[in-house]
Amino acid sequence: MSSMLATRLREGTKQSHSLAENAGFIQCFLKGAVEKTSYRQLLANFYFVYTALEDELDALQTHPVLSQLYFPELKRQSSLIQDLTYYWGPHWQDAISPSAATQGYVDRIQEVAIADPILLVAHSYTRYLGDLSGGQLLKKIARRGMNLPPDQGTAFYDFIDIPTPKAFKATYRQALDHLPLETSRIDQVIDEANLAFKLNMGLFQELEGNLIRAIGQMIFNHLTRPRRDRQSPWSPDLGESTKLQPQD
Ligand code: HEM
């Protein structure tokens, strides 16, 4: 019997999804205004979040409900380590620490793992289905916006064990629909997914300040450049060499 959990989650987080998509940081990202300082901090934050989530999902892999949604091919920790090594260098582990919002997100994951592990379904859904959906677009934007060398800096978006994200998403949704969950728990899972979106928004909002400063610097550099070198700061084609880059 299907609980329709997949549809309920999609419908029940629609508003949160549009709020997240409209966050300043995400809007800038989508327009190609991506710079390494903010981006590598986002990856550092994700490292702490995914490590917490994946440690808990591993520890609970025989749980009667969570075992049905245990897909190791989704794990992001090792791809994040690859990207962190690229952006922060071989000593990345000494260089990064969780921001306040990141710590709050990690705390919540660890708290529900102890108090009510079923709610981890919501955390898994919010991050992984998101990564599998918008991920390919975000990868393209990150590569162009930061002028990355081929095959470096975007391992996070590559699910090497998931050849067709679309088919996998169907499998994941089917697993959601068949979780042995009492109907009374479904609303709680949806509430937790909305909380997970909020926690993600918190990460984006924290980075907004950095990004605004970086954009200010780029515009300043542009305006103070000799007139003959001056080109439009916002190139309509993300791939053009006129893209703004912060001067490190
Ligand atoms: C950069 C901005 C974003 C874009 C362009 C984007 C795009 C999309 C698209 C096109 C889908 C639909 C895929 C489909 O129907 O198969 C989707 C689904 C989804 N996105 Fe996003 N997204 C963005 C941001 C986010 C964020 C910040 C989160 C949460 C952290 C998120 C979480 C999700 C989830 C959970 C789904 C699955 C919805 C469902 O079918 O149940 N997205 N996204």
Tab-separated table of all heavy atoms in Angstrom, residues 208-246:
chain	number	residue	atom	x	y	z
A	208	GLU	N	25.581	35.166	2.377
A	208	GLU	CA	25.175	36.307	1.574
A	208	GLU	C	26.086	37.517	1.803
A	208	GLU	O	26.478	38.198	0.859
A	208	GLU	CB	23.734	36.663	1.922
A	208	GLU	CG	22.873	36.962	0.737
A	208	GLU	CD	21.422	37.058	1.139
A	208	GLU	OE1	21.011	38.138	1.602
A	208	GLU	OE2	20.722	36.034	1.015
A	209	GLY	N	26.429	37.757	3.076
A	209	GLY	CA	27.278	38.905	3.409
A	209	GLY	C	28.621	38.843	2.693
A	209	GLY	O	29.049	39.819	2.077
A	210	ASN	N	29.261	37.661	2.735
A	210	ASN	CA	30.539	37.455	2.029
A	210	ASN	C	30.397	37.767	0.555
A	210	ASN	O	31.239	38.416	-0.043
A	210	ASN	CB	30.957	35.964	2.057
A	210	ASN	CG	31.434	35.535	3.410
A	210	ASN	OD1	31.744	36.367	4.245
A	210	ASN	ND2	31.482	34.225	3.628
A	211	LEU	N	29.308	37.238	-0.003
A	211	LEU	CA	29.125	37.355	-1.444
A	211	LEU	C	28.892	38.813	-1.835
A	211	LEU	O	29.439	39.285	-2.834
A	211	LEU	CB	27.957	36.471	-1.889
A	211	LEU	CG	27.726	36.424	-3.390
A	211	LEU	CD1	28.952	35.880	-4.116
A	211	LEU	CD2	26.519	35.560	-3.739
A	212	ILE	N	28.111	39.532	-1.018
A	212	ILE	CA	27.836	40.943	-1.327
A	212	ILE	C	29.152	41.726	-1.318
A	212	ILE	O	29.419	42.516	-2.220
A	212	ILE	CB	26.814	41.533	-0.324
A	212	ILE	CG1	25.427	40.915	-0.570
A	212	ILE	CG2	26.739	43.065	-0.445
A	212	ILE	CD1	24.403	41.197	0.519
A	213	ARG	N	29.991	41.453	-0.351
A	213	ARG	CA	31.310	42.129	-0.301
A	213	ARG	C	32.136	41.797	-1.542
A	213	ARG	O	32.759	42.663	-2.151
A	213	ARG	CB	32.070	41.727	0.962
A	213	ARG	CG	31.726	42.620	2.168
A	213	ARG	CD	32.643	42.329	3.347
A	213	ARG	NE	32.478	40.988	3.886
A	213	ARG	CZ	31.484	40.632	4.695
A	213	ARG	NH1	30.573	41.516	5.042
A	213	ARG	NH2	31.392	39.403	5.152
A	214	ALA	N	32.131	40.524	-1.918
A	214	ALA	CA	32.924	40.102	-3.081
A	214	ALA	C	32.406	40.770	-4.354
A	214	ALA	O	33.190	41.197	-5.204
A	214	ALA	CB	32.899	38.581	-3.225
A	215	ILE	N	31.075	40.862	-4.480
A	215	ILE	CA	30.492	41.491	-5.677
A	215	ILE	C	30.864	42.983	-5.683
A	215	ILE	O	31.239	43.536	-6.717
A	215	ILE	CB	28.956	41.283	-5.729
A	215	ILE	CG1	28.637	39.807	-5.979
A	215	ILE	CG2	28.327	42.155	-6.812
A	215	ILE	CD1	27.159	39.458	-5.884
A	216	GLY	N	30.801	43.615	-4.508
A	216	GLY	CA	31.194	45.025	-4.391
A	216	GLY	C	32.628	45.221	-4.859
A	216	GLY	O	32.938	46.132	-5.629
A	217	GLN	N	33.497	44.326	-4.442
A	217	GLN	CA	34.913	44.408	-4.820
A	217	GLN	C	35.082	44.245	-6.331
A	217	GLN	O	35.844	44.963	-6.972
A	217	GLN	CB	35.704	43.323	-4.065
A	217	GLN	CG	37.202	43.394	-4.245
A	217	GLN	CD	37.806	44.668	-3.633
A	217	GLN	OE1	37.563	44.975	-2.473
A	217	GLN	NE2	38.559	45.409	-4.418
A	218	MET	N	34.314	43.295	-6.900
A	218	MET	CA	34.411	43.064	-8.347
A	218	MET	C	33.991	44.311	-9.110
A	218	MET	O	34.626	44.696	-10.088
A	218	MET	CB	33.472	41.920	-8.761
A	218	MET	CG	33.907	40.556	-8.320
A	218	MET	SD	32.765	39.347	-9.028
A	218	MET	CE	32.613	38.178	-7.724
A	219	ILE	N	32.912	44.936	-8.650
A	219	ILE	CA	32.422	46.125	-9.356
A	219	ILE	C	33.435	47.259	-9.193
A	219	ILE	O	33.740	47.974	-10.146
A	219	ILE	CB	31.010	46.510	-8.853
A	219	ILE	CG1	30.021	45.422	-9.291
A	219	ILE	CG2	30.572	47.874	-9.403
A	219	ILE	CD1	28.606	45.604	-8.798
A	220	PHE	N	33.987	47.375	-8.001
A	220	PHE	CA	35.010	48.402	-7.760
A	220	PHE	C	36.201	48.192	-8.706
A	220	PHE	O	36.662	49.118	-9.360
A	220	PHE	CB	35.458	48.356	-6.298
A	220	PHE	CG	36.491	49.393	-5.981
A	220	PHE	CD1	36.117	50.708	-5.703
A	220	PHE	CD2	37.847	49.075	-5.977
A	220	PHE	CE1	37.072	51.673	-5.419
A	220	PHE	CE2	38.804	50.046	-5.704
A	220	PHE	CZ	38.418	51.342	-5.427
A	221	ASN	N	36.660	46.943	-8.785
A	221	ASN	CA	37.795	46.640	-9.663
A	221	ASN	C	37.452	46.993	-11.105
A	221	ASN	O	38.273	47.529	-11.847
A	221	ASN	CB	38.163	45.153	-9.597
A	221	ASN	CG	38.717	44.771	-8.244
A	221	ASN	OD1	39.167	45.631	-7.489
A	221	ASN	ND2	38.662	43.490	-7.914
A	222	HIS	N	36.227	46.702	-11.469
A	222	HIS	CA	35.787	46.983	-12.831
A	222	HIS	C	35.799	48.482	-13.115
A	222	HIS	O	36.298	48.928	-14.136
A	222	HIS	CB	34.387	46.409	-13.017
A	222	HIS	CG	33.754	46.816	-14.304
A	222	HIS	ND1	34.153	46.292	-15.508
A	222	HIS	CD2	32.791	47.727	-14.576
A	222	HIS	CE1	33.440	46.850	-16.468
A	222	HIS	NE2	32.611	47.724	-15.924
A	223	LEU	N	35.252	49.243	-12.155
A	223	LEU	CA	35.112	50.678	-12.383
A	223	LEU	C	36.446	51.407	-12.347
A	223	LEU	O	36.584	52.474	-12.933
A	223	LEU	CB	34.163	51.280	-11.321
A	223	LEU	CG	32.709	50.827	-11.416
A	223	LEU	CD1	31.911	51.339	-10.234
A	223	LEU	CD2	32.080	51.284	-12.727
A	224	THR	N	37.434	50.822	-11.676
A	224	THR	CA	38.719	51.505	-11.575
A	224	THR	C	39.738	50.990	-12.595
A	224	THR	O	40.894	51.382	-12.583
A	224	THR	CB	39.307	51.358	-10.149
A	224	THR	OG1	39.332	49.964	-9.824
A	224	THR	CG2	38.467	52.096	-9.120
A	225	ARG	N	39.270	50.100	-13.441
A	225	ARG	CA	40.143	49.569	-14.492
A	225	ARG	C	40.307	50.645	-15.576
A	225	ARG	O	39.371	51.418	-15.800
A	225	ARG	CB	39.459	48.334	-15.099
A	225	ARG	CG	40.430	47.279	-15.557
A	225	ARG	CD	39.691	46.066	-16.044
A	225	ARG	NE	39.142	45.240	-14.976
A	225	ARG	CZ	38.172	44.348	-15.158
A	225	ARG	NH1	37.612	44.196	-16.335
A	225	ARG	NH2	37.760	43.633	-14.159
A	226	PRO	N	41.474	50.694	-16.273
A	226	PRO	CA	41.598	51.674	-17.365
A	226	PRO	C	40.447	51.521	-18.360
A	226	PRO	O	40.026	50.391	-18.663
A	226	PRO	CB	42.928	51.292	-18.025
A	226	PRO	CG	43.686	50.548	-16.985
A	226	PRO	CD	42.684	49.892	-16.106
A	227	ARG	N	39.977	52.669	-18.866
A	227	ARG	CA	38.766	52.682	-19.685
A	227	ARG	C	38.828	51.693	-20.857
A	227	ARG	O	37.864	50.996	-21.150
A	227	ARG	CB	38.533	54.103	-20.215
A	227	ARG	CG	37.241	54.294	-20.982
A	227	ARG	CD	37.011	55.744	-21.296
A	227	ARG	NE	36.600	56.513	-20.112
A	227	ARG	CZ	35.324	56.587	-19.711
A	227	ARG	NH1	34.389	55.983	-20.365
A	227	ARG	NH2	35.021	57.272	-18.647
A	228	ARG	N	39.990	51.586	-21.514
A	228	ARG	CA	40.069	50.722	-22.712
A	228	ARG	C	39.844	49.244	-22.390
A	228	ARG	O	39.441	48.475	-23.236
A	228	ARG	CB	41.402	50.922	-23.437
A	228	ARG	CG	42.608	50.469	-22.645
A	228	ARG	CD	43.916	50.682	-23.398
A	228	ARG	NE	45.053	50.276	-22.591
A	228	ARG	CZ	45.571	51.007	-21.624
A	228	ARG	NH1	45.068	52.206	-21.343
A	228	ARG	NH2	46.597	50.565	-20.914
A	229	ASP	N	40.118	48.841	-21.113
A	229	ASP	CA	39.938	47.429	-20.757
A	229	ASP	C	38.533	47.138	-20.241
A	229	ASP	O	38.208	46.013	-19.919
A	229	ASP	CB	40.911	47.023	-19.632
A	229	ASP	CG	42.353	47.159	-20.073
A	229	ASP	OD1	42.569	47.219	-21.298
A	229	ASP	OD2	43.228	47.219	-19.190
A	230	ARG	N	37.757	48.221	-20.103
A	230	ARG	CA	36.486	48.037	-19.405
A	230	ARG	C	35.445	47.350	-20.281
A	230	ARG	O	35.220	47.744	-21.415
A	230	ARG	CB	35.957	49.386	-18.933
A	230	ARG	CG	35.215	49.288	-17.636
A	230	ARG	CD	34.671	50.621	-17.231
A	230	ARG	NE	35.719	51.518	-16.741
A	230	ARG	CZ	35.527	52.819	-16.568
A	230	ARG	NH1	34.362	53.362	-16.852
A	230	ARG	NH2	36.506	53.563	-16.132
A	231	GLN	N	34.858	46.334	-19.732
A	231	GLN	CA	33.760	45.663	-20.431
A	231	GLN	C	32.605	45.578	-19.446
A	231	GLN	O	32.791	45.829	-18.259
A	231	GLN	CB	34.186	44.263	-20.847
A	231	GLN	CG	35.225	44.283	-21.963
A	231	GLN	CD	35.898	42.938	-22.106
A	231	GLN	OE1	36.363	42.354	-21.117
A	231	GLN	NE2	35.948	42.442	-23.315
A	232	SER	N	31.458	45.178	-19.952
A	232	SER	CA	30.316	45.073	-19.039
A	232	SER	C	30.625	44.092	-17.906
A	232	SER	O	31.162	43.024	-18.154
A	232	SER	CB	29.094	44.589	-19.810
A	232	SER	OG	28.133	44.164	-18.892
A	233	PRO	N	30.312	44.459	-16.667
A	233	PRO	CA	30.584	43.528	-15.572
A	233	PRO	C	29.729	42.277	-15.644
A	233	PRO	O	30.118	41.224	-15.153
A	233	PRO	CB	30.274	44.337	-14.318
A	233	PRO	CG	29.377	45.440	-14.759
A	233	PRO	CD	29.722	45.713	-16.194
A	234	TRP	N	28.569	42.377	-16.231
A	234	TRP	CA	27.690	41.198	-16.288
A	234	TRP	C	27.567	40.740	-17.713
A	234	TRP	O	26.885	41.347	-18.519
A	234	TRP	CB	26.307	41.499	-15.707
A	234	TRP	CG	26.406	41.984	-14.315
A	234	TRP	CD1	26.072	43.212	-13.861
A	234	TRP	CD2	26.903	41.261	-13.186
A	234	TRP	NE1	26.336	43.295	-12.529
A	234	TRP	CE2	26.841	42.126	-12.084
A	234	TRP	CE3	27.407	39.973	-12.994
A	234	TRP	CZ2	27.254	41.755	-10.825
A	234	TRP	CZ3	27.815	39.602	-11.735
A	234	TRP	CH2	27.733	40.481	-10.670
A	235	SER	N	28.276	39.682	-17.997
A	235	SER	CA	28.202	39.186	-19.352
A	235	SER	C	26.935	38.357	-19.503
A	235	SER	O	26.631	37.547	-18.643
A	235	SER	CB	29.439	38.338	-19.603
A	235	SER	OG	29.085	37.191	-20.274
A	236	PRO	N	26.184	38.543	-20.606
A	236	PRO	CA	24.969	37.748	-20.783
A	236	PRO	C	25.292	36.269	-20.952
A	236	PRO	O	24.533	35.411	-20.553
A	236	PRO	CB	24.333	38.318	-22.042
A	236	PRO	CG	25.418	39.102	-22.724
A	236	PRO	CD	26.418	39.480	-21.691
A	237	ASP	N	26.460	35.993	-21.539
A	237	ASP	CA	26.857	34.596	-21.702
A	237	ASP	C	27.821	34.247	-20.581
A	237	ASP	O	28.901	34.800	-20.459
A	237	ASP	CB	27.533	34.419	-23.063
A	237	ASP	CG	28.090	33.015	-23.237
A	237	ASP	OD1	28.043	32.238	-22.258
A	237	ASP	OD2	28.547	32.708	-24.332
A	238	LEU	N	27.400	33.301	-19.744
A	238	LEU	CA	28.197	32.949	-18.572
A	238	LEU	C	29.596	32.473	-18.951
A	238	LEU	O	30.510	32.537	-18.152
A	238	LEU	CB	27.500	31.845	-17.780
A	238	LEU	CG	26.174	32.217	-17.141
A	238	LEU	CD1	25.532	30.982	-16.535
A	238	LEU	CD2	26.389	33.271	-16.085
A	239	GLY	N	29.757	31.972	-20.162
A	239	GLY	CA	31.031	31.396	-20.542
A	239	GLY	C	32.045	32.424	-21.034
A	239	GLY	O	33.204	32.113	-21.203
A	240	GLU	N	31.636	33.660	-21.248
A	240	GLU	CA	32.558	34.639	-21.822
A	240	GLU	C	33.639	35.063	-20.844
A	240	GLU	O	33.461	35.038	-19.641
A	240	GLU	CB	31.776	35.873	-22.265
A	240	GLU	CG	31.142	35.665	-23.619
A	240	GLU	CD	30.427	36.904	-24.091
A	240	GLU	OE1	30.802	38.007	-23.666
A	240	GLU	OE2	29.496	36.746	-24.878
A	241	SER	N	34.752	35.495	-21.386
A	241	SER	CA	35.884	35.864	-20.537
A	241	SER	C	35.657	37.204	-19.840
A	241	SER	O	36.467	37.635	-19.040
A	241	SER	CB	37.152	35.938	-21.380
A	241	SER	OG	36.924	36.877	-22.413
A	242	THR	N	34.544	37.872	-20.150
A	242	THR	CA	34.248	39.144	-19.498
A	242	THR	C	33.689	38.942	-18.094
A	242	THR	O	33.442	39.891	-17.389
A	242	THR	CB	33.195	39.934	-20.299
A	242	THR	OG1	32.095	39.069	-20.517
A	242	THR	CG2	33.739	40.395	-21.622
A	243	LYS	N	33.489	37.680	-17.697
A	243	LYS	CA	32.944	37.403	-16.359
A	243	LYS	C	33.772	38.076	-15.287
A	243	LYS	O	34.983	38.079	-15.313
A	243	LYS	CB	32.998	35.905	-16.054
A	243	LYS	CG	31.887	35.075	-16.573
A	243	LYS	CD	30.520	35.322	-15.966
A	243	LYS	CE	30.464	35.023	-14.494
A	243	LYS	NZ	30.089	36.167	-13.720
A	244	LEU	N	33.079	38.619	-14.322
A	244	LEU	CA	33.776	39.212	-13.192
A	244	LEU	C	34.426	38.142	-12.347
A	244	LEU	O	33.838	37.105	-12.089
A	244	LEU	CB	32.761	39.952	-12.322
A	244	LEU	CG	32.323	41.294	-12.839
A	244	LEU	CD1	31.180	41.797	-11.999
A	244	LEU	CD2	33.464	42.274	-12.820
A	245	GLN	N	35.587	38.374	-11.903
A	245	GLN	CA	36.252	37.487	-10.945
A	245	GLN	C	36.849	38.355	-9.859
A	245	GLN	O	37.391	39.420	-10.145
A	245	GLN	CB	37.384	36.713	-11.641
A	245	GLN	CG	36.917	35.528	-12.456
A	245	GLN	CD	36.251	34.447	-11.600
A	245	GLN	OE1	36.655	34.193	-10.476
A	245	GLN	NE2	35.200	33.836	-12.124
A	246	PRO	N	36.765	37.960	-8.614
A	246	PRO	CA	37.427	38.766	-7.590
A	246	PRO	C	38.933	38.736	-7.830
A	246	PRO	O	39.462	37.728	-8.301
A	246	PRO	CB	37.064	38.056	-6.297
A	246	PRO	CG	36.701	36.673	-6.691
A	246	PRO	CD	36.210	36.735	-8.103
